Short mmCIF file of all heavy atoms in Angstrom, two decimals:
data_model
loop_
_atom_site.label_atom_id
_atom_site.label_comp_id
_atom_site.label_asym_id
_atom_site.label_seq_id
_atom_site.Cartn_x
_atom_site.Cartn_y
_atom_site.Cartn_z
N ASP A 1 -12.57 -3.90 10.27
CA ASP A 1 -13.86 -3.52 10.76
C ASP A 1 -15.00 -4.24 10.11
O ASP A 1 -16.10 -4.43 10.72
CB ASP A 1 -14.07 -2.02 10.60
CG ASP A 1 -13.81 -1.52 9.19
OD1 ASP A 1 -13.02 -2.20 8.47
OD2 ASP A 1 -14.26 -0.46 8.80
N LYS A 2 -14.81 -4.65 8.87
CA LYS A 2 -15.87 -5.29 8.06
C LYS A 2 -15.26 -5.87 6.82
O LYS A 2 -14.10 -5.52 6.46
CB LYS A 2 -16.99 -4.28 7.74
CG LYS A 2 -16.44 -3.12 6.88
CD LYS A 2 -17.54 -2.12 6.54
CE LYS A 2 -16.93 -1.01 5.68
NZ LYS A 2 -17.95 0.00 5.34
N PRO A 3 -15.95 -6.77 6.06
CA PRO A 3 -15.43 -7.16 4.77
C PRO A 3 -15.39 -5.97 3.88
O PRO A 3 -16.28 -5.13 3.88
CB PRO A 3 -16.50 -8.15 4.30
CG PRO A 3 -17.19 -8.72 5.56
CD PRO A 3 -17.18 -7.53 6.51
N HIS A 4 -14.30 -5.89 3.10
CA HIS A 4 -14.02 -4.74 2.29
C HIS A 4 -13.97 -3.43 3.19
O HIS A 4 -14.61 -2.46 2.93
CB HIS A 4 -15.05 -4.49 1.19
CG HIS A 4 -15.02 -5.54 0.11
ND1 HIS A 4 -16.09 -6.30 -0.26
CD2 HIS A 4 -14.01 -6.01 -0.62
CE1 HIS A 4 -15.77 -7.16 -1.20
NE2 HIS A 4 -14.48 -7.00 -1.46
N GLY A 5 -13.11 -3.59 4.20
CA GLY A 5 -12.96 -2.48 5.18
C GLY A 5 -11.51 -1.98 5.19
O GLY A 5 -10.80 -1.93 4.18
N ASN A 6 -11.08 -1.53 6.39
CA ASN A 6 -9.76 -0.97 6.56
C ASN A 6 -8.68 -2.03 6.28
O ASN A 6 -8.62 -3.03 6.96
CB ASN A 6 -9.57 -0.43 7.97
CG ASN A 6 -10.61 0.60 8.34
OD1 ASN A 6 -11.16 1.27 7.49
ND2 ASN A 6 -10.90 0.72 9.64
N ALA A 7 -7.81 -1.73 5.31
CA ALA A 7 -6.77 -2.71 4.98
C ALA A 7 -5.64 -1.99 4.19
O ALA A 7 -5.88 -1.02 3.46
CB ALA A 7 -7.30 -3.82 4.13
N VAL A 8 -4.45 -2.47 4.37
CA VAL A 8 -3.28 -2.03 3.58
C VAL A 8 -2.65 -3.35 3.05
O VAL A 8 -2.45 -4.32 3.78
CB VAL A 8 -2.29 -1.22 4.36
CG1 VAL A 8 -1.81 -1.91 5.64
CG2 VAL A 8 -1.08 -0.84 3.50
N ILE A 9 -2.36 -3.36 1.75
CA ILE A 9 -1.90 -4.63 1.10
C ILE A 9 -0.57 -4.35 0.37
O ILE A 9 -0.43 -3.34 -0.32
CB ILE A 9 -2.91 -5.11 0.07
CG1 ILE A 9 -4.28 -5.38 0.73
CG2 ILE A 9 -2.41 -6.37 -0.60
CD1 ILE A 9 -5.41 -5.73 -0.26
N LEU A 10 0.37 -5.24 0.61
CA LEU A 10 1.67 -5.22 -0.17
C LEU A 10 1.62 -6.43 -1.09
O LEU A 10 1.45 -7.57 -0.62
CB LEU A 10 2.85 -5.30 0.74
CG LEU A 10 4.20 -5.30 0.08
CD1 LEU A 10 5.28 -4.77 1.02
CD2 LEU A 10 4.70 -6.74 -0.35
N THR A 11 1.74 -6.21 -2.37
CA THR A 11 1.77 -7.29 -3.38
C THR A 11 3.15 -7.37 -3.99
O THR A 11 3.61 -6.35 -4.58
CB THR A 11 0.72 -7.09 -4.46
OG1 THR A 11 -0.57 -6.99 -3.84
CG2 THR A 11 0.70 -8.25 -5.45
N LEU A 12 3.76 -8.52 -3.94
CA LEU A 12 5.11 -8.73 -4.51
C LEU A 12 4.99 -9.60 -5.76
O LEU A 12 4.63 -10.79 -5.61
CB LEU A 12 6.02 -9.40 -3.44
CG LEU A 12 7.56 -9.40 -3.76
CD1 LEU A 12 8.06 -7.98 -3.62
CD2 LEU A 12 8.24 -10.33 -2.76
N ASP A 13 5.25 -9.03 -6.93
CA ASP A 13 5.22 -9.72 -8.14
C ASP A 13 6.61 -10.20 -8.54
O ASP A 13 7.44 -9.42 -8.97
CB ASP A 13 4.69 -8.77 -9.24
CG ASP A 13 4.65 -9.39 -10.66
OD1 ASP A 13 4.97 -10.56 -10.78
OD2 ASP A 13 4.25 -8.67 -11.57
N MET A 14 6.89 -11.48 -8.33
CA MET A 14 8.18 -12.02 -8.57
C MET A 14 8.51 -12.25 -10.06
O MET A 14 9.65 -12.37 -10.41
CB MET A 14 8.32 -13.38 -7.82
CG MET A 14 8.23 -13.33 -6.35
SD MET A 14 9.46 -12.23 -5.64
CE MET A 14 11.02 -13.16 -5.98
N ASN A 15 7.52 -12.23 -10.90
CA ASN A 15 7.74 -12.40 -12.34
C ASN A 15 8.26 -11.14 -12.96
O ASN A 15 9.33 -11.09 -13.65
CB ASN A 15 6.41 -12.86 -13.02
CG ASN A 15 6.64 -13.32 -14.46
OD1 ASN A 15 7.57 -12.91 -15.11
ND2 ASN A 15 5.79 -14.19 -14.90
N ASN A 16 7.50 -10.01 -12.70
CA ASN A 16 7.91 -8.72 -13.25
C ASN A 16 8.84 -7.95 -12.33
O ASN A 16 9.21 -6.82 -12.63
CB ASN A 16 6.61 -7.90 -13.57
CG ASN A 16 5.78 -8.50 -14.62
OD1 ASN A 16 6.25 -8.93 -15.63
ND2 ASN A 16 4.54 -8.59 -14.31
N ARG A 17 9.18 -8.53 -11.16
CA ARG A 17 10.01 -7.85 -10.12
C ARG A 17 9.45 -6.51 -9.77
O ARG A 17 10.18 -5.45 -9.78
CB ARG A 17 11.47 -7.75 -10.64
CG ARG A 17 12.16 -9.08 -11.04
CD ARG A 17 12.46 -9.89 -9.80
NE ARG A 17 13.46 -9.33 -8.97
CZ ARG A 17 13.90 -9.87 -7.83
NH1 ARG A 17 13.45 -11.08 -7.48
NH2 ARG A 17 14.85 -9.27 -7.14
N GLU A 18 8.20 -6.47 -9.47
CA GLU A 18 7.58 -5.22 -9.04
C GLU A 18 6.81 -5.40 -7.70
O GLU A 18 6.47 -6.49 -7.34
CB GLU A 18 6.54 -4.74 -10.08
CG GLU A 18 7.15 -4.09 -11.33
CD GLU A 18 6.06 -3.37 -12.13
OE1 GLU A 18 5.07 -3.99 -12.53
OE2 GLU A 18 6.25 -2.19 -12.36
N VAL A 19 6.71 -4.28 -6.96
CA VAL A 19 5.97 -4.34 -5.72
C VAL A 19 4.96 -3.16 -5.75
O VAL A 19 5.22 -2.14 -6.34
CB VAL A 19 6.98 -4.12 -4.49
CG1 VAL A 19 7.70 -2.80 -4.61
CG2 VAL A 19 6.21 -4.26 -3.20
N TYR A 20 3.79 -3.47 -5.17
CA TYR A 20 2.72 -2.48 -5.12
C TYR A 20 2.12 -2.46 -3.78
O TYR A 20 1.85 -3.46 -3.15
CB TYR A 20 1.63 -2.80 -6.15
CG TYR A 20 0.59 -1.72 -6.28
CD1 TYR A 20 0.85 -0.57 -6.99
CD2 TYR A 20 -0.67 -1.87 -5.73
CE1 TYR A 20 -0.11 0.43 -7.10
CE2 TYR A 20 -1.66 -0.86 -5.82
CZ TYR A 20 -1.36 0.27 -6.50
OH TYR A 20 -2.30 1.27 -6.65
N LEU A 21 1.90 -1.26 -3.19
CA LEU A 21 1.25 -1.08 -1.92
C LEU A 21 -0.06 -0.27 -2.11
O LEU A 21 -0.08 0.69 -2.89
CB LEU A 21 2.16 -0.28 -0.97
CG LEU A 21 3.40 -1.07 -0.37
CD1 LEU A 21 4.53 -1.04 -1.33
CD2 LEU A 21 3.79 -0.45 0.93
N ALA A 22 -1.08 -0.75 -1.45
CA ALA A 22 -2.39 -0.02 -1.56
C ALA A 22 -3.07 0.09 -0.17
O ALA A 22 -3.01 -0.84 0.60
CB ALA A 22 -3.30 -0.80 -2.52
N GLY A 23 -3.66 1.23 0.08
CA GLY A 23 -4.37 1.47 1.33
C GLY A 23 -5.84 1.69 1.07
O GLY A 23 -6.20 2.48 0.16
N PHE A 24 -6.73 1.02 1.77
CA PHE A 24 -8.14 1.08 1.62
C PHE A 24 -8.84 1.70 2.83
O PHE A 24 -8.50 1.30 3.93
CB PHE A 24 -8.74 -0.31 1.31
CG PHE A 24 -8.25 -0.89 0.02
CD1 PHE A 24 -7.04 -1.65 -0.03
CD2 PHE A 24 -8.96 -0.80 -1.15
CE1 PHE A 24 -6.61 -2.15 -1.19
CE2 PHE A 24 -8.56 -1.31 -2.31
CZ PHE A 24 -7.32 -2.04 -2.39
N TYR A 25 -9.79 2.58 2.58
CA TYR A 25 -10.62 3.22 3.63
C TYR A 25 -9.72 3.91 4.69
O TYR A 25 -9.03 4.87 4.27
CB TYR A 25 -11.56 2.16 4.22
CG TYR A 25 -12.59 1.74 3.20
CD1 TYR A 25 -12.41 0.62 2.47
CD2 TYR A 25 -13.75 2.51 3.05
CE1 TYR A 25 -13.33 0.25 1.47
CE2 TYR A 25 -14.65 2.12 2.04
CZ TYR A 25 -14.48 0.97 1.25
OH TYR A 25 -15.34 0.69 0.27
N LYS A 26 -9.69 3.55 5.91
CA LYS A 26 -8.86 4.25 6.88
C LYS A 26 -7.40 4.33 6.42
O LYS A 26 -6.74 5.35 6.58
CB LYS A 26 -8.95 3.61 8.23
CG LYS A 26 -8.11 4.30 9.31
CD LYS A 26 -8.28 3.64 10.69
CE LYS A 26 -7.40 4.32 11.70
NZ LYS A 26 -7.50 3.59 13.04
N ALA A 27 -6.91 3.21 5.89
CA ALA A 27 -5.53 3.18 5.41
C ALA A 27 -5.30 4.07 4.21
O ALA A 27 -4.21 4.58 4.02
CB ALA A 27 -5.15 1.74 5.05
N GLU A 28 -6.35 4.32 3.39
CA GLU A 28 -6.20 5.23 2.28
C GLU A 28 -5.98 6.64 2.79
O GLU A 28 -5.24 7.43 2.15
CB GLU A 28 -7.44 5.14 1.39
CG GLU A 28 -7.36 6.09 0.15
CD GLU A 28 -8.57 6.04 -0.73
OE1 GLU A 28 -9.61 5.51 -0.25
OE2 GLU A 28 -8.53 6.61 -1.84
N GLN A 29 -6.62 6.99 3.89
CA GLN A 29 -6.50 8.29 4.47
C GLN A 29 -5.19 8.48 5.16
O GLN A 29 -4.51 9.54 4.97
CB GLN A 29 -7.64 8.49 5.51
CG GLN A 29 -7.59 9.87 6.11
CD GLN A 29 -8.70 10.04 7.21
OE1 GLN A 29 -9.37 9.06 7.57
NE2 GLN A 29 -8.81 11.22 7.77
N TYR A 30 -4.77 7.50 5.98
CA TYR A 30 -3.50 7.60 6.75
C TYR A 30 -2.26 7.23 5.96
O TYR A 30 -1.20 7.65 6.26
CB TYR A 30 -3.64 6.80 8.03
CG TYR A 30 -4.41 7.50 9.13
CD1 TYR A 30 -5.79 7.42 9.14
CD2 TYR A 30 -3.83 8.21 10.13
CE1 TYR A 30 -6.58 8.04 10.12
CE2 TYR A 30 -4.54 8.86 11.12
CZ TYR A 30 -5.91 8.76 11.14
OH TYR A 30 -6.64 9.41 12.05
N LEU A 31 -2.47 6.33 4.98
CA LEU A 31 -1.33 5.90 4.13
C LEU A 31 -1.65 6.35 2.72
O LEU A 31 -1.99 5.53 1.83
CB LEU A 31 -1.14 4.41 4.25
CG LEU A 31 -0.83 3.81 5.65
CD1 LEU A 31 -0.80 2.28 5.55
CD2 LEU A 31 0.44 4.37 6.18
N ASP A 32 -1.50 7.64 2.46
CA ASP A 32 -1.75 8.18 1.17
C ASP A 32 -0.58 7.76 0.19
O ASP A 32 0.36 7.11 0.59
CB ASP A 32 -2.01 9.66 1.16
CG ASP A 32 -0.82 10.42 1.76
OD1 ASP A 32 0.32 9.80 1.92
OD2 ASP A 32 -0.92 11.58 2.09
N ASP A 33 -0.65 8.25 -1.05
CA ASP A 33 0.38 7.89 -2.04
C ASP A 33 1.79 8.22 -1.54
O ASP A 33 2.73 7.45 -1.67
CB ASP A 33 0.12 8.57 -3.38
CG ASP A 33 -1.15 8.13 -4.04
OD1 ASP A 33 -1.82 7.14 -3.54
OD2 ASP A 33 -1.55 8.74 -5.10
N ARG A 34 1.92 9.46 -0.93
CA ARG A 34 3.29 9.82 -0.53
C ARG A 34 3.79 8.99 0.61
O ARG A 34 4.98 8.60 0.59
CB ARG A 34 3.23 11.32 -0.06
CG ARG A 34 3.10 12.29 -1.22
CD ARG A 34 3.41 13.71 -0.76
NE ARG A 34 3.40 14.65 -1.89
CZ ARG A 34 3.79 15.93 -1.78
NH1 ARG A 34 4.19 16.35 -0.58
NH2 ARG A 34 3.80 16.72 -2.83
N ARG A 35 2.97 8.68 1.56
CA ARG A 35 3.40 7.81 2.65
C ARG A 35 3.74 6.40 2.21
O ARG A 35 4.67 5.77 2.63
CB ARG A 35 2.38 7.77 3.78
CG ARG A 35 2.29 9.12 4.50
CD ARG A 35 1.41 9.05 5.75
NE ARG A 35 1.44 10.31 6.54
CZ ARG A 35 0.86 10.44 7.70
NH1 ARG A 35 0.25 9.39 8.30
NH2 ARG A 35 0.90 11.54 8.36
N LEU A 36 2.95 5.89 1.23
CA LEU A 36 3.22 4.59 0.73
C LEU A 36 4.53 4.60 -0.11
O LEU A 36 5.29 3.59 -0.07
CB LEU A 36 2.10 4.11 -0.18
CG LEU A 36 0.79 3.72 0.59
CD1 LEU A 36 -0.32 3.28 -0.40
CD2 LEU A 36 1.00 2.63 1.61
N ASP A 37 4.83 5.72 -0.74
CA ASP A 37 6.08 5.84 -1.45
C ASP A 37 7.27 5.76 -0.47
O ASP A 37 8.27 5.08 -0.72
CB ASP A 37 6.16 7.19 -2.20
CG ASP A 37 5.40 7.21 -3.49
OD1 ASP A 37 5.12 6.08 -4.05
OD2 ASP A 37 5.08 8.32 -3.97
N LYS A 38 7.08 6.39 0.69
CA LYS A 38 8.17 6.39 1.69
C LYS A 38 8.35 4.93 2.18
O LYS A 38 9.53 4.52 2.36
CB LYS A 38 7.76 7.28 2.88
CG LYS A 38 7.88 8.76 2.60
CD LYS A 38 7.42 9.61 3.75
CE LYS A 38 7.68 11.10 3.58
NZ LYS A 38 9.07 11.45 3.67
N ILE A 39 7.24 4.26 2.48
CA ILE A 39 7.36 2.87 2.94
C ILE A 39 8.10 1.99 1.92
O ILE A 39 8.93 1.23 2.21
CB ILE A 39 5.98 2.25 3.29
CG1 ILE A 39 5.31 3.07 4.41
CG2 ILE A 39 6.11 0.82 3.59
CD1 ILE A 39 3.88 2.60 4.71
N ARG A 40 7.66 2.14 0.62
CA ARG A 40 8.26 1.34 -0.41
C ARG A 40 9.74 1.62 -0.59
O ARG A 40 10.56 0.70 -0.78
CB ARG A 40 7.49 1.60 -1.77
CG ARG A 40 8.05 0.77 -2.89
CD ARG A 40 7.25 1.02 -4.15
NE ARG A 40 7.14 2.44 -4.49
CZ ARG A 40 8.15 3.14 -5.04
NH1 ARG A 40 9.30 2.53 -5.35
NH2 ARG A 40 7.99 4.40 -5.32
N THR A 41 10.10 2.92 -0.46
CA THR A 41 11.53 3.24 -0.58
C THR A 41 12.36 2.59 0.55
O THR A 41 13.51 2.17 0.32
CB THR A 41 11.64 4.79 -0.50
OG1 THR A 41 10.98 5.34 -1.58
CG2 THR A 41 13.13 5.17 -0.59
N LYS A 42 11.80 2.47 1.74
CA LYS A 42 12.52 1.89 2.89
C LYS A 42 12.78 0.41 2.67
O LYS A 42 13.85 -0.11 3.13
CB LYS A 42 11.69 2.14 4.17
CG LYS A 42 11.63 3.56 4.67
CD LYS A 42 10.77 3.69 5.90
CE LYS A 42 10.55 5.15 6.31
NZ LYS A 42 11.78 5.84 6.68
N LEU A 43 11.81 -0.32 2.10
CA LEU A 43 11.97 -1.76 2.00
C LEU A 43 12.49 -2.26 0.73
O LEU A 43 12.89 -3.42 0.58
CB LEU A 43 10.65 -2.45 2.33
CG LEU A 43 9.39 -2.11 1.48
CD1 LEU A 43 9.28 -2.96 0.26
CD2 LEU A 43 8.11 -2.23 2.36
N THR A 44 12.60 -1.42 -0.33
CA THR A 44 13.05 -1.88 -1.65
C THR A 44 14.48 -2.44 -1.62
O THR A 44 14.74 -3.54 -2.27
CB THR A 44 12.96 -0.75 -2.68
OG1 THR A 44 11.57 -0.42 -2.92
CG2 THR A 44 13.53 -1.14 -4.01
#
């Protein structure tokens, strides 16, 4: 919708072998911590 707006980001850190998912604005509301946990569990 705008710069620094609705976004969900998956970051894959190949050095530390870690993955992080973050939801901003609308995505923070619809993809809360629990839902992001579910997504991460599915793709790990």
Side-chain angles (χ1 to χ4, degrees):
D1 51 335
K2 61 181 179 179
H4 291 125
N6 303 335
V8 55
I9 302 172
L10 180 154
T11 303
L12 194 69
D13 176 2
M14 296 301 293
N15 193 332
N16 296 313
R17 302 289 294 181
E18 283 192 304
V19 60
Y20 187 77
L21 287 83
F24 295 85
Y25 293 93
K26 181 182 178 181
E28 181 181 14
Q29 180 184 7
Y30 281 82
L31 300 176
D32 58 14
D33 294 353
R34 287 194 175 188
R35 289 190 176 187
L36 290 180
D37 282 341
K38 287 177 174 289
I39 295 174
R40 182 177 53 78
T41 300
K42 292 177 186 295
L43 57 88
T44 294

